[in-house]
Amino acid sequence: MTTDEPRPPAREQRTVFGEVAGTYDDVRPAYPPEILTRILDYLGRAPAGVLESGAGTGKATALLRTLDVPVTCVEPDPEMAAVLTGRYADDELVSVVVSGFEDYTPPAPVDLLASAQAWHWLDPARRAGLAHAALAPGGTLAVFGHHYGFADPELSEAINAVYLRLTPEIAHREGFPEHYTPFAPGELSAFADLDRQQVERLVPFPTERYLRLLSTFSNHRLLAPERRDRLHAALAEVIDGHGGVLDHRLTTTLWLARR
C-alpha cells in the first residue's frame, strides 16, 4: 500500500461481532431461566417494560421476552441487530433500535434495564448516569454475562500452554470470575442495594463447535487471520487429544442495583 492509498478503517474490538453474527447466534450459550427469576425476585414486581442495552442477536432477549411485556432492544451493530430483528419480526412486544446506548433516550423511564455481556463496551464515564436516568424510581439495573471456565484442570493447563506459546496477549486470566466486576470503583454510587449472584452449569463443546465459539470472541477476531488459524489448529489438537469434547464450567454472574 502506497502512502497516498486510502487506509482501511481500524477495527474496534467492540464492533467485530457483526462479522460473525450468524455464528455468534448459533454457538453462544443461552442464559439460564434462573437469571430472570433472580431479577424478578430482586425487583419485587413484574416490570411494565424492559430496556435492553447491547442486545446483540438476542441471547438475553429470549429470556426477557418471556415476561410478556414490551422489550426495547438497543444494539449498535447493524449485522447483529439484523439477526435480532429477523427473529422478532412478527412480535409486537419486541422492538429493535439500531443505536449505541449512549445515543438513545427512552421515551419514558423503565422498570428494568438489562445489559447482557455488553456493559463493558459502553462509555465508562457515561453509562451509569444514563442507566440511572433510564430507570423509573425503584427500577432495577441488571448486568449479567458468562465466564467460560474449564471443568478439567489438566485440559485447562494444556489449553493455557497453547495460548502462552502462540498468543500470550490473550492468555486466560486468573481469578475470574470470583473477583471480577464490570464496574469501575464507585461507578454505582447513585444506586442502592447492590447485589451479586451466580448460576453455574456444565456445557459441553465438541472440538469444531468450540472453535466456532472462539471465532466469536473479540480478542480472537482481532488476531491476524494466520495467527488465529494457527492458534485454533493447536487448540483443536489438544482438545481432540482429550476426547474431542471440552466441558465448560459456565458461570453466569448477575449484578443488580436499584435506582
Side-chain angles (χ1 to χ4, degrees):
M1 179 181 293
T2 63
T3 55
D4 56 351
E5 289 180 324
R7 293 182 178 274
R11 294 163 73 221
E12 291 185 61
Q13 190 168 3
R14 65 177 182 172
T15 64
V16 298
F17 302 104
E19 299 171 355
V20 285
T23 301
Y24 185 107
D25 190 56
D26 177 40
V27 300
R28 288 285 184 117
Y31 289 97
E34 294 95 322
I35 291 296
L36 187 60
T37 299
R38 296 182 185 205
I39 291 173
L40 292 177
D41 287 346
Y42 179 91
L43 181 59
R45 64 183 186 276
V50 180
L51 177 61
E52 184 183 1
S53 169
T57 64
K59 288 296 179 180
T61 310
L63 200 62
L64 300 169
R65 175 60 184 82
T66 63
L67 293 169
D68 285 326
V69 300
V71 180
T72 301
C73 305
V74 181
E75 167 55 43
D77 189 294
E79 298 300 325
M80 301 285 277
V83 175
L84 177 58
T85 300
R87 174 170 293 115
Y88 293 103
D90 299 320
D91 194 322
E92 295 181 353
L93 287 179
V94 177
S95 57
V96 180
V97 179
V98 184
S99 170
F101 182 69
E102 297 92 336
D103 301 316
Y104 175 76
T105 302
V110 296
D111 293 326
L112 175 60
L113 169 60
S115 183
Q117 214 83 35
W119 183 263
H120 57 293
W121 297 123
L122 299 176
D123 180 354
R126 302 175 58 203
R127 59 194 180 192
L130 292 170
H132 193 274
L135 286 167
T140 292
L141 170 65
V143 175
F144 49 101
H146 296 316
H147 167 64
Y148 298 82
F150 299 105
D152 182 342
E154 181 181 340
L155 182 54
S156 174
E157 184 175 344
I159 284 175
N160 281 330
V162 171
Y163 277 97
L164 290 170
R165 175 166 56 87
L166 296 178
T167 55
E169 69 274 23
I170 62 170
H172 292 232
R173 293 173 293 165
E174 297 295 330
F176 188 92
E178 288 78 9
H179 307 297
Y180 171 76
T181 174
F183 305 105
E187 182 176 345
L188 299 182
S189 58
F191 290 81
D193 303 330
L194 273 59
D195 192 18
R196 176 181 178 273
Q197 303 181 29
Q198 290 184 328
V199 176
E200 189 174 285
R201 56 201 164 119
L202 205 63
V203 180
F205 280 89
T207 302
E208 187 273 337
R209 187 168 178 82
Y210 182 62
L211 296 182
R212 293 182 69 222
L213 174 71
L214 292 181
S215 76
T216 71
F217 292 164
S218 59
N219 54 1
H220 283 248
R221 296 229 52 77
L222 288 178
L223 291 171
E226 61 275 11
R227 291 189 72 205
R228 184 169 63 239
D229 291 345
R230 189 161 57 250
L231 171 65
H232 288 192
L235 291 172
E237 184 177 351
V238 169
I239 298 168
D240 285 342
H242 284 74
V245 177
L246 184 151
D247 287 325
H248 262 308
R249 181 173 287 113
L250 193 66
T251 303
T252 305
T253 305
L254 168 66
W255 292 267
L256 295 160
R258 197 182 318 278
R259 187 195 190 286

